[in-house]
Amino acid sequence: MTKKLYIETVGCQMNVLDSELVVASLRKHDYELTDSTTDADTILFNTCSVRQHAEDKIYSALGRLKNAKKSNPNKIIGVLGCMAQKDQRLIFQRAPFVDLIVGPGQLHQVPDLIKEVEAGAGQQLEVSLGRKEGSRDQIERSHESFDPLRDPAMRPTPFQAYVRIQIGCDKFCTYCIVPSVRGPEQSRPPFQILSEAQQLADEGCKEIILLGQTVNSYRFRDGEQETRLSDLLYSLHEIDGIERIKFITNYPKDMTDDLLEAVRDLPKCSKYLHVPIQTASNRLLERMKRGYTVEEYLVMMDRIREWLPEVAVTSDFIVGFCGETEEDFQLTCDLVREQRFKNSFIFKYSERPGTKGAEHYPDDVPDEVKRRRNNELLAIQNTISEEDNQRFLGQEVEVLVEGPSKASLKSDANNDSQQVQLTGRTMCDRIVVFDGNRRQIGQTLPVKIYDASIHTLFGLVVTQHVGPELFSLRT
Ligand code: 5AD
Ligand code: SF4
């Protein structure tokens, strides 16, 4: 009998991909997806620990389910991912009705663990070893979960898919929980990545997005031979059907010339780089243990622009990190004004117990100051993004059409019509919205831009080949 699965995902693209793999494995056990927690036989939360807010969201969602088993005592509730790895049994204490807790390295076990619960074996907990709970080799193995199963319904769109090329992180930035919940940095063997990309291309996927916490640190050694991200890009570029390749997120120190050269020379590579700096204060960069100075980051930006003059660069920032003064913050504002990123992702510092940051430095910037700095930096970035987008007015761009726009999905009026507002992205990751037809979804189309806002370009599909005679026949 078919069973119903409700799955909710928070956090980064890695989690979106993990959820895809979990859904694929449960479909093999006769599960289908549902949008309703009431109808669901199994409810899973794939969680994030990067900031407190993401955890609070899950604990409140769990709180809302505390009576869910009254109507259906066989309902299974599971917590997966980073918060499962971080909080472990604490989740059972805070939400005793939870049946399973599964870390990011054990997701392939979810179907079996559900069966155990169904068989009456009680609460199940499967997590990886902590960073001090074994040899590097043992810890690495406990985090390995390179499940090749895929599920098209769980992808960002049918034409785009994430491909994991690396797991874990060894950078240990002092504010960050990722190295302890996702384990040691491990690069996936190239042949696995290539065969997965080939499979995705065979399924009609046109864009692949390579994922790693520090994706450009990718290095796979096999005897004498070393494969770097640039080598991988050349190989992936050969796959017919794949039109675009993106990779996120980059670590500034590993932005080497061979990689920039590959992005320049490979037409399928998106001209888009996400390279977080976090702050423009050297004092704070050192406290964060980011491993570079502002000056080194700026030299890297110069190199990026030399190799790739048209590239779009985006960055992450943490405001209100321990000891951040107004002067520190102003340095960050100045850098954002000067560097003119396409976009900046700005976060208020959230202390993570267990990190070096939490251990050594007090979280001493008041929340209202963090909020004010967040808004101020965002306002600076928004002005730049809007100005930057204005440059596209009158230009023609190539758009990979992803699907109906958010606005058209909200309005029911359009639902049955073929004519619909569509959204897609340019080669440099800019969002474009235009009126079109559903059959254009998945195509790459020339679009002429006539308007621009902070986050969106508005355009018209260019239909150059309709001559005046044809036009009069159609009207
Ligand atoms: N508090 C706030 N932001 C954080 N990030 C990582 N850890 C924290 C934290 N403790 C941000 C960084 C990173 C992005 C994914 O999340 O900017 O690049
Ligand atoms: Fe966290 Fe730093 Fe690793 Fe990024 S590089 S995942 S911020 S520890």
Side-chain angles (χ1 to χ4, degrees):
M1 231 219 5
T2 313
K3 288 194 191 149
K4 291 206 163 69
L5 168 70
Y6 173 91
I7 185 162
E8 197 171 314
T9 309
V10 291
C12 63
Q13 289 90 350
M14 207 58 106
N15 269 13
V16 174
L17 175 57
D18 282 340
S19 291
E20 179 180 337
L21 305 181
V22 169
V23 170
S25 64
L26 285 172
R27 274 197 208 276
K28 293 202 148 189
H29 291 79
D30 288 332
Y31 269 95
E32 63 180 39
L33 290 170
T34 172
D35 289 337
S36 145
T37 51
T38 319
D39 293 348
D41 298 288
T42 296
I43 300 173
L44 299 177
F45 293 99
N46 193 5
T47 62
C48 170
S49 280
V50 117
R51 282 171 288 276
Q52 184 63 43
H53 175 67
E55 296 190 349
D56 294 345
K57 222 165 118 180
I58 297 297
Y59 279 116
S60 350
L62 285 173
R64 286 193 294 275
L65 289 177
K66 69 172 183 283
N67 295 323
K69 289 188 181 176
K70 282 206 177 120
S71 52
N72 176 4
N74 296 325
K75 207 185 272 281
I76 292 177
I77 300 176
V79 176
L80 320 178
C82 295
M83 198 180 92
Q85 179 67 39
K86 174 176 160 279
D87 285 357
Q88 305 193 0
R89 288 199 178 276
L90 182 68
I91 300 172
F92 287 144
Q93 283 164 25
R94 290 184 65 174
F97 48 86
V98 166
D99 300 289
L100 46 133
I101 296 175
V102 189
Q106 287 70 35
L107 296 177
H108 54 285
Q109 297 182 33
V110 167
D112 287 343
L113 294 169
I114 290 178
K115 277 203 193 116
E116 292 285 317
V117 176
E118 283 169 344
Q123 289 177 320
Q124 302 291 310
L125 178 129
E126 284 293 336
V127 289
S128 298
L129 294 174
R131 295 284 305 224
K132 290 183 184 141
E133 290 177 342
S135 67
R136 172 144 187 139
D137 202 41
Q138 286 168 324
I139 300 167
E140 278 188 359
R141 258 183 285 123
S142 81
H143 277 277
E144 255 173 37
S145 178
F146 287 137
D147 196 318
L149 286 176
R150 305 297 312 227
D151 192 276
M154 293 295 288
R155 290 186 195 146
T157 74
F159 317 100
Q160 298 167 301
Y162 296 124
V163 175
R164 197 187 328 260
I165 70 166
Q166 183 196 50
I167 59 170
C169 182
D170 280 343
K171 306 295 191 274
F172 285 101
C173 304
T174 55
Y175 52 80
C176 187
I177 195 73
V178 170
S180 63
V181 290
R182 289 266 176 185
E185 183 182 311
Q186 300 182 66
S187 291
R188 193 180 179 193
F191 77 90
Q192 280 184 13
I193 298 167
L194 291 169
S195 82
E196 192 171 322
Q198 181 65 59
Q199 181 197 335
L200 290 166
D202 295 343
E203 289 171 9
C205 186
K206 296 190 171 178
E207 175 172 315
I208 52 172
I209 303 154
L210 309 178
L211 298 185
Q213 303 298 342
T214 56
V215 73
N216 57 337
S217 317
Y218 176 91
R219 255 180 184 60
F220 188 83
R221 287 190 193 87
D222 185 10
E224 289 290 281
Q225 198 177 344
E226 183 179 73
T227 308
R228 297 164 299 176
L229 176 58
S230 55
D231 304 315
L232 208 51
L233 291 176
Y234 284 102
S235 307
L236 289 165
H237 203 265
E238 297 288 302
I239 298 177
D240 284 338
I242 299 293
E243 292 177 14
R244 288 187 182 182
I245 308 169
K246 245 188 244 172
F247 51 89
I248 43 179
T249 289
N250 292 286
Y251 186 61
K253 260 171 79 171
D254 292 328
M255 196 51 93
T256 48
D257 283 349
D258 60 296
L259 180 58
L260 297 175
E261 188 175 13
V263 175
R264 183 196 64 181
D265 292 347
L266 296 173
K268 291 181 181 178
C269 271
S270 267
K271 305 300 174 244
Y272 163 65
L273 297 172
H274 180 56
V275 205
I277 180 172
Q278 311 296 358
T279 169
S281 153
N282 277 330
R283 195 174 57 85
L284 293 182
L285 279 176
E286 203 180 320
R287 273 193 169 194
M288 291 178 171
K289 272 206 175 332
R290 283 289 288 178
Y292 53 82
T293 61
V294 178
E295 291 71 26
E296 283 165 342
Y297 185 89
L298 295 178
V299 169
M300 177 210 70
M301 286 295 287
D302 287 344
R303 274 196 305 112
I304 289 178
R305 296 205 171 106
E306 251 165 58
W307 283 100
L308 303 158
E310 287 305 310
V311 77
V313 180
T314 56
S315 186
D316 289 352
F317 291 90
I318 296 177
V319 293
F321 185 59
C322 317
E324 185 185 68
T325 63
E326 209 50 40
E327 290 83 69
D328 292 321
F329 174 64
Q330 286 310 323
L331 290 171
T332 302
C333 294
D334 290 345
L335 181 125
V336 169
R337 282 191 199 96
E338 279 159 25
Q339 290 302 312
R340 302 187 67 82
F341 299 108
K342 175 185 82 120
N343 219 324
S344 289
F345 301 94
I346 304 164
F347 307 102
K348 291 186 294 170
Y349 172 59
S350 168
E351 186 178 78
R352 308 286 58 219
T355 58
K356 284 270 183 289
E359 208 180 296
H360 293 304
Y361 311 112
D363 179 12
D364 55 1
V365 178
D367 197 55
E368 66 272 15
V369 176
K370 289 179 183 168
R371 203 167 329 128
R372 198 237 321 136
R373 290 180 186 167
N374 192 330
N375 291 340
E376 220 175 296
L377 195 56
L378 191 61
I380 296 170
Q381 178 60 54
N382 281 349
T383 307
I384 292 165
S385 299
E386 193 165 14
E387 282 170 10
D388 207 29
N389 274 348
Q390 303 287 326
R391 291 188 300 122
F392 286 86
L393 296 180
Q395 280 190 33
E396 200 177 300
V397 291
E398 288 284 305
V399 177
L400 174 58
V401 186
E402 295 177 2
S405 69
K406 272 193 206 142
S408 73
L409 284 175
K410 269 192 212 140
S411 84
D412 286 342
N414 264 330
N415 269 356
D416 297 327
S417 161
Q418 280 300 105
Q419 298 300 321
V420 68
Q421 192 182 56
L422 295 171
T423 181
R425 276 172 203 262
T426 66
M427 213 34 176
C428 54
D429 203 53
R430 287 186 164 83
I431 296 168
V432 182
V433 164
F434 60 95
D435 286 333
N437 190 299
R438 283 182 195 274
R439 76 181 138 67
Q440 292 166 321
I441 296 171
Q443 296 180 12
T444 305
L445 297 174
V447 176
K448 189 150 182 170
I449 304 304
Y450 67 83
D451 200 2
S453 67
I454 297 172
H455 299 297
T456 314
L457 302 175
F458 300 89
L460 290 170
V461 179
V462 180
T463 48
Q464 297 131 322
H465 308 298
V466 181
E469 340 63 271
L470 238 158
F471 189 71
S472 59
L473 272 178
R474 288 170 68 199
T475 47

